[in-house]
Amino acid sequence: MKILVTGGAGFIGSAVVRRAVESHGISVVNVDCLTYAANLANLDDVSGSDLYAFERADIRDAAEMARIFLVHQPDAVMHLAAESHVDRSIDGPGEFISTNIEGTYVLLQAARAYFETLSGARREGFRFHHVSTDEVYGSLGAVGKFTEETSYKPNSPYSASKAASDMLVRAWGETYRLPIVVSNCSNNYGPFQFPEKLIPVVILNALAERPIPIYGAGTNVRDWLFVDDHADALLTILTAGKLGETYNVGGNNEVSNIDLVRTLCVILDEQRPRSDGKYADLITHVTDRPGHDFRYAIDASKIERELNWAPSVTVEEGLAQTVRWYLDNEAWWRAIQSRGQVGERLGLRDKMIAE
């Protein structure tokens, strides 16, 4: 089997590529235009494998997408390429509209044209797996969970762009009979995460003895999914999911932001103690993000029931592994920090201020 993975040099994409090649012996073509958050170093473990190929290309480039399908003849597509940082989408929504919506359209058209050339078993087995987010559903109150039947109600430019791309994929499945499957996941974390998301920001700020920012009161709740668990779920959906269906993928690990950060501080205290005080002393409450959704929670019972998948890593286990990885891989994140403007506060017109 050969799969074309878009965004394979990103955080989740690289986890999928590594697992596909190393654990499943699947041939992978990684298509990535290498934007700021992409990093080919994430793929050092598989870059020399005969099962791995890399194409530097933008999914918005129709000619390049057509060429890549023709040259590599994939059996399936896993579409992960996207702009994904909510704060960046507040400051610059245009890039999110262009990449996440227009890019998905171009890729769908290329996949459709390629699919129409297939016949027999290859046509029967082909599928287009679109990887999305639970943020398309909007915000939950104190109770309830998102299911596959939850209505879409995106609240940020990022989530709106992903919701639109989800709808495009569904439409291509219905109108053009492109064999599609969609998945919506909760917040991912783990090794190789670009240091602009909450968990790596906390870890690296703590190690640098800088303030650890908490948006607002820190009571916003997220379900946390370890990235290797997610990669396993995505490959399960790709190979066993029912065409035309949506699968929600969650970690069964709901935690408020403030409790998550406090847990990280305790783990850091254990793994690399400060010379003076505790890491929690660095926690600083800052102005909240505009339109900050209060709570996300995933009901992942469908994928467990139908595909026999469930998360294997608790948030306590995953956070401890993640902290240890950042401590052991300083060269990886130092190289990213050397580019500058990494970890700075985005998404507000005014500079970060204490509450």
Side-chain angles (χ1 to χ4, degrees):
M1 181 183 190
K2 179 187 288 188
I3 60 174
L4 189 157
V5 177
T6 69
F11 170 48
I12 301 173
S14 63
V16 169
V17 173
R18 291 192 303 269
R19 182 166 289 264
V21 171
E22 295 178 319
S23 301
H24 298 276
I26 295 173
S27 180
V28 175
V29 180
N30 171 19
V31 178
D32 200 303
C33 67
L34 300 183
T35 60
Y36 77 96
N39 193 342
L40 288 177
N42 297 1
L43 297 162
D44 283 348
D45 290 347
V46 299
S47 61
S49 172
D50 292 339
L51 296 174
Y52 175 76
F54 173 63
E55 291 274 6
R56 183 170 184 174
D58 192 321
I59 59 170
R60 295 170 291 188
D61 187 330
E64 272 295 275
M65 292 306 102
R67 179 191 66 79
I68 288 168
F69 274 98
L70 179 63
V71 169
H72 293 282
Q73 298 282 306
D75 300 302
V77 176
M78 189 178 292
H79 177 33
L80 294 111
E83 294 289 341
S84 66
H85 190 38
V86 174
D87 288 1
R88 285 184 183 273
S89 80
I90 294 170
D91 286 348
E95 192 68 17
F96 287 72
I97 302 303
S98 178
T99 298
N100 298 355
I101 301 178
E102 181 185 352
T104 298
Y105 159 72
V106 171
L107 186 67
L108 282 167
Q109 286 290 77
R112 173 191 166 202
Y114 169 72
F115 173 67
E116 290 175 352
T117 70
L118 302 178
S119 61
R122 294 205 66 210
R123 183 180 180 89
E124 185 69 21
F126 185 81
R127 59 184 53 201
F128 184 107
H129 180 182
H130 177 61
V131 181
S132 191
T133 171
D134 60 356
E135 296 192 35
V136 300
Y137 298 126
S139 182
L140 288 167
V143 297
K145 293 186 176 183
F146 298 133
T147 73
E148 288 82 0
E149 286 73 44
T150 300
S151 298
Y152 277 28
K153 192 178 179 181
N155 292 319
S156 71
Y158 161 63
S159 57
S161 69
K162 290 298 291 183
S165 67
D166 289 8
M167 295 299 101
L168 286 175
V169 173
R170 296 174 196 278
W172 261 243
E174 289 294 323
T175 302
Y176 302 111
R177 295 292 184 254
L178 184 69
I180 63 97
V181 65
V182 176
S183 60
N184 298 84
C185 69
S186 54
N187 281 38
N188 279 231
Y189 72 102
F192 296 102
Q193 188 167 30
F194 190 81
E196 67 180 359
K197 301 295 179 74
L198 176 60
I199 288 174
V201 165
V202 170
I203 295 169
L204 300 187
N205 277 33
L207 294 176
E209 299 281 337
R210 297 202 307 263
I212 297 172
I214 295 288
Y215 288 5
T219 54
N220 302 75
V221 175
R222 299 292 181 263
D223 173 52
W224 292 94
L225 175 63
F226 194 63
V227 69
D228 289 341
D229 272 345
H230 189 204
D232 183 60
L234 293 178
L235 290 167
T236 299
I237 293 167
L238 181 73
T239 56
K242 184 179 178 181
L243 292 180
E245 292 291 316
T246 293
Y247 296 91
N248 281 349
V249 185
N252 296 332
N253 289 309
E254 281 189 63
V255 185
S256 70
N257 287 349
I258 187 64
D259 287 341
L260 181 84
V261 172
R262 287 170 177 160
T263 299
L264 282 168
C265 288
V266 170
I267 294 170
L268 283 161
D269 287 335
E270 294 169 351
Q271 296 194 13
R272 184 169 292 182
R274 293 180 72 194
S275 59
D276 182 21
K278 302 291 186 181
Y279 285 105
D281 298 337
L282 299 173
I283 293 175
T284 304
H285 291 268
V286 302
T287 302
D288 205 354
R289 167 196 295 157
H292 196 176
D293 291 338
F294 174 67
R295 175 173 168 261
Y296 304 146
I298 282 279
D299 178 349
S301 59
K302 178 178 177 179
I303 187 174
E304 181 173 1
R305 181 176 65 252
E306 296 186 5
L307 304 184
N308 197 32
W309 178 89
S312 64
V313 180
T314 68
V315 71
E316 293 80 11
E317 294 168 340
L319 291 177
Q321 290 181 43
T322 301
V323 169
R324 174 45 55 192
W325 187 88
Y326 279 91
L327 291 176
D328 291 344
N329 290 273
E330 184 172 343
W332 180 89
W333 52 264
R334 288 286 186 195
I336 294 173
Q337 287 183 331
S338 68
R339 305 175 195 170
Q341 297 183 330
V342 175
E344 293 183 4
R345 179 70 194 271
L346 301 169
L348 290 176
R349 292 182 178 180
D350 299 326
K351 292 182 179 180
M352 185 171 61
I353 57 173
E355 290 284 285

